[in-house]
Amino acid sequence: ACIYEASASDETGGVSDPAFFVGVERSVFKECLRKRENNTLDGETSSLNECQNIMARLVYPRILGELGSEGNDHLVDDDQNKVMTWYSCHHAIRHLAASGSLSNARSLLSESQFIRLRLRSTGLLAGSHGHCRDCTRMDLCLSRSVEEWQRKKGSSSSEDRVRAPHDISEWKEDHFEILCSISTVLREKAREIAAASSPPAGYGQGPSKRQQLQMDIGDALQSIGECISDIGVYRVEEKEHYEEALQLKSEAFGGEENHEAIGDILYIMGCHHQRFHHFKFAQKCYEQALRIYKVTLGYEHLCVAR
């Protein structure tokens, strides 16, 4: 199978936004039809799972090839390879998880080289959000795996052996370490920005581009902090991510606090302190956020009311 990016012309001669098209070998397509005719693929869901399996077999070797090469740049020289790399980084985990390849998905999520490749190919903010989203997807897939295992275990005879699913508690540790690996890359980028006289390639030039990069990293760290909160154990690390996000956003605005993004992170920090009964700290954060919301959004806004 292969992936193409193409645009179509409409009746007025205009060109539509680029779309992805997947080409599948005739033999693979015929095999899917054969399974459908023989009821090996039962219903639409199974057919979709088979499609996910095809896509997983397409993108997973691509990622492994990128990670296994000493110089990745030569693989993304032309537009087609760039499209393929972007798609693989963006959707590989989803295809692997949906096709039942949870071990491969879990391994890829934990691979620091893949994290760096993903953030480089899709952008710091989008790549971080995507990796956090895929970790949540793994949570759901592993929970379903446990439910299925319990169902099979309950319906099987004592002589039957039903293989146990992945260890959920072990995955929580992995989940946290994966999030910290993303943070490591983001912190490295933040230090590069602080030390460089101009923003990195891909963000243009000028103060506004530097500010945007700092905002992206701050937003990404904030999202990671919220994901750590969902795990529910690592409250110190969660707080550290919020504090770093606040610092980066403040630097991006030149120390000026009257911005909605600053109010948002202060509100989240207030929720964090309230959750752990640090009420004085929570009240201070809420009051700061409220003052900012009144200035930037007005007294009638929902953020002020809450």
Side-chain angles (χ1 to χ4, degrees):
C2 56
I3 297 176
Y4 299 93
E5 183 184 34
S7 300
S9 299
D10 56 24
E11 296 177 354
T12 63
V15 179
S16 65
D17 292 333
F20 289 108
F21 296 88
V22 180
V24 181
E25 290 183 6
R26 184 183 299 273
S27 60
V28 176
F29 180 70
K30 287 184 175 180
E31 179 65 14
C32 290
L33 290 179
R34 185 190 64 79
K35 290 181 178 180
R36 186 65 180 269
E37 291 172 357
N38 295 337
N39 293 325
T40 307
L41 295 179
D42 184 17
E44 183 177 354
T45 301
S46 296
S47 298
L48 290 175
N49 288 341
E50 183 70 12
C51 292
Q52 295 281 11
N53 189 30
I54 292 172
M55 295 305 300
R57 296 201 304 268
L58 168 63
V59 299
Y60 187 54
R62 173 76 187 196
I63 292 295
L64 295 181
E66 290 273 3
L67 300 181
S69 62
E70 294 182 359
N72 288 327
D73 292 340
H74 75 281
L75 293 175
V76 293
D77 282 338
D78 58 73
D79 291 340
Q80 183 60 43
N81 278 325
K82 287 180 180 178
V83 169
M84 187 64 182
T85 299
W86 179 89
Y87 185 93
S88 299
C89 289
H90 197 70
H91 295 290
I93 303 299
R94 177 171 68 90
H95 292 316
L96 288 169
S99 64
S101 302
L102 297 184
S103 296
N104 289 336
R106 184 172 176 174
S107 176
L108 204 56
L109 280 170
S110 304
E111 176 58 58
S112 60
Q113 284 183 284
F114 174 66
I115 294 173
R116 292 179 182 276
L117 176 64
R118 187 174 201 174
L119 267 59
R120 186 172 70 246
S121 299
T122 64
L124 294 176
L125 182 57
S128 299
H129 283 170
H131 219 70
C132 291
R133 181 187 63 245
D134 284 339
C135 284
T136 302
R137 180 177 284 114
M138 278 296 295
D139 286 340
L140 296 174
C141 289
L142 291 173
S143 297
R144 293 190 191 118
S145 176
V146 169
E147 293 173 359
E148 180 67 14
W149 174 72
Q150 290 174 338
R151 185 186 65 79
K152 289 181 178 179
K153 185 179 179 182
S155 61
S156 62
S157 62
S158 57
E159 293 82 6
D160 294 335
R161 291 186 177 182
V162 181
R163 187 167 61 88
H166 299 275
D167 189 339
I168 297 295
S169 59
E170 183 180 319
W171 161 245
K172 286 187 176 181
E173 293 284 343
D174 289 347
H175 190 171
F176 172 69
E177 291 177 3
I178 291 167
L179 295 175
C180 289
S181 295
I182 308 172
S183 302
T184 298
V185 179
L186 294 173
R187 287 163 180 154
E188 289 175 1
K189 292 297 181 182
R191 287 193 294 269
E192 288 180 14
I193 298 167
S197 57
S198 60
Y203 278 84
Q205 301 297 322
S208 61
K209 300 301 181 180
R210 180 187 297 275
Q211 292 169 359
Q212 184 59 55
L213 190 51
Q214 288 176 317
M215 281 294 298
D216 284 352
I217 297 175
D219 285 338
L221 288 171
Q222 177 180 325
S223 297
I224 293 170
E226 294 178 57
C227 289
I228 293 175
S229 171
D230 292 337
I231 299 176
V233 180
Y234 308 96
R235 62 183 184 182
V236 174
E237 290 81 1
E238 177 192 350
K239 178 173 171 286
E240 288 175 352
H241 279 76
Y242 295 149
E243 290 173 342
E244 289 180 77
L246 177 60
Q247 180 181 348
L248 281 165
K249 291 184 178 184
S250 298
E251 291 176 0
F253 293 122
E256 172 59 46
E257 289 189 347
N258 289 331
H259 293 274
E260 183 180 356
I262 302 295
D264 290 340
I265 184 62
L266 285 169
Y267 176 78
I268 290 173
M269 292 176 70
C271 294
H272 167 81
H273 288 303
Q274 181 179 352
R275 196 165 67 248
F276 295 106
H277 300 168
H278 301 155
F279 297 118
K280 289 184 178 180
F281 292 108
Q283 182 179 358
K284 182 179 178 180
C285 291
Y286 285 147
E287 289 175 349
Q288 288 179 292
L290 180 61
R291 179 184 59 78
I292 292 171
Y293 285 146
K294 286 179 179 178
V295 172
T296 58
L297 302 175
Y299 285 75
E300 307 264 335
H301 198 274
L302 180 61
C303 289
V304 176
R306 69 182 179 185

